[in-house]
Amino acid sequence: MASRSRPSLPLYLSFILLLVATANALHFYLDANEKRCFIEELPTDTVVEGHYRALEWKEGSQTYEINDQLGILVEVEEIETSHQVVKTRGPPDGRFTFTSHEAGDHTICLSTNYSSSWFGPTAHIRLYLDIVVGASKPDAEHDRSHISDIASKIRDLNMKLEDVRREQQYQREREADYRDLSETTNSRAVWYSVVQIVVLLGTCAWQLRHLKVSLHVLLLCE
């Protein structure tokens, strides 16, 4: 009997990642004066970000389209304390963010700014919603201590930089002194060479004069 081939491990991982990526994304329909609510259990000090996109049904084109006149009302409330965390109105394509102050269930409700009419047609809305529950808020004390460590390291670097600058200044001063000494030595060497040449020329002149006098005396004696 032929054995069945098993799906590879990367295929399983890709499927699992696809499920995780789409777990918080959904879409639903609502009409004018209709409100849709969702319950989300959140720990304390947790950042929640939501992205919504509302499309309105157009009879003429028979499609859902963006309508700039459409507004979306977002309301977030703590169920246990009835504390309203967020109440905001945004465009048809927008975002909202809030932080849970208490652990427990929170209701996230969305509705439109349209009101129902007895005579006019009722607006039909398709609303896409993506809610991302983030990590807990960072510890402020930890951040301050981390900033203090960074400030201390910066001070150490500044001190080392100052030491390097002083060393560079000292080296420049030594180079200037060495250059002055070299120029002085070269100048003295030039003058010493000039004096040697003058003495040599004087000696040659004296020797020539002495030789001339000696020859003249010899000629007179003969």
Side-chain angles (χ1 to χ4, degrees):
M1 181 181 294
S3 60
R4 295 182 179 178
S5 60
R6 295 183 178 179
S8 61
L9 181 59
L11 183 60
Y12 277 125
L13 293 177
S14 300
F15 181 70
I16 292 173
L17 291 175
L18 180 62
L19 290 178
V20 172
T22 59
N24 292 332
L26 55 93
H27 77 273
F28 52 90
Y29 299 89
L30 70 160
D31 297 331
N33 279 345
E34 186 178 1
K35 180 185 293 187
R36 289 293 181 90
C37 296
F38 304 90
I39 297 178
E40 191 77 30
E41 184 178 0
L42 302 173
T44 306
D45 291 335
T46 300
V47 179
V48 179
E49 296 180 359
H51 176 216
Y52 61 85
R53 186 167 184 264
L55 303 176
E56 184 177 351
W57 175 258
K58 298 296 183 181
E59 291 291 343
S61 60
Q62 294 292 304
T63 56
Y64 285 95
E65 301 176 0
I66 285 285
N67 183 2
D68 294 333
Q69 302 299 322
L70 175 62
I72 300 299
L73 180 63
V74 180
E75 297 174 279
V76 180
E77 184 178 288
E78 295 177 358
I79 295 180
E80 184 176 354
T81 62
S82 298
H83 172 66
Q84 192 170 56
V85 181
V86 174
K87 184 176 183 180
T88 181
R89 175 183 169 181
D93 190 349
R95 297 177 180 272
F96 62 91
T97 304
F98 67 92
T99 303
S100 60
H101 302 291
E102 299 291 340
D105 292 334
H106 292 65
T107 58
I108 303 174
C109 299
L110 295 97
S111 59
T112 69
N113 62 335
Y114 289 166
S115 59
S116 60
S117 174
W118 291 97
F119 305 101
T122 302
H124 300 285
I125 309 299
R126 175 190 286 174
L127 201 148
Y128 295 87
L129 178 63
D130 186 13
I131 298 177
V132 178
V133 179
S136 299
K137 294 174 64 178
D139 188 1
E141 292 295 333
H142 175 72
D143 290 344
R144 280 194 288 269
S145 63
H146 182 62
I147 292 174
S148 299
D149 293 340
I150 294 177
S152 177
K153 292 180 180 179
I154 292 175
R155 284 195 298 269
D156 294 340
L157 289 176
N158 287 332
M159 293 177 62
K160 292 180 180 179
L161 182 60
E162 190 65 27
D163 293 339
V164 171
R165 288 176 178 173
R166 284 196 294 267
E167 182 66 23
Q168 290 178 344
Q169 182 65 26
Y170 175 70
Q171 292 296 334
R172 283 195 292 267
E173 292 176 356
R174 288 192 59 185
E175 290 176 358
D177 294 340
Y178 179 76
R179 184 170 56 253
D180 294 340
L181 180 61
S182 298
E183 291 177 355
T184 302
T185 303
N186 292 334
S187 177
R188 290 178 179 177
V190 170
W191 281 109
Y192 180 72
S193 300
V194 171
V195 170
Q196 282 184 330
I197 293 173
V198 170
V199 171
L200 181 61
L201 291 176
T203 303
C204 291
W206 180 81
Q207 288 181 349
L208 289 174
R209 185 174 179 278
H210 181 71
L211 181 61
K212 183 178 180 181
V213 171
S214 299
L215 291 175
H216 182 68
V217 171
L218 289 174
L219 290 174
L220 290 176
C221 291
E222 292 179 356

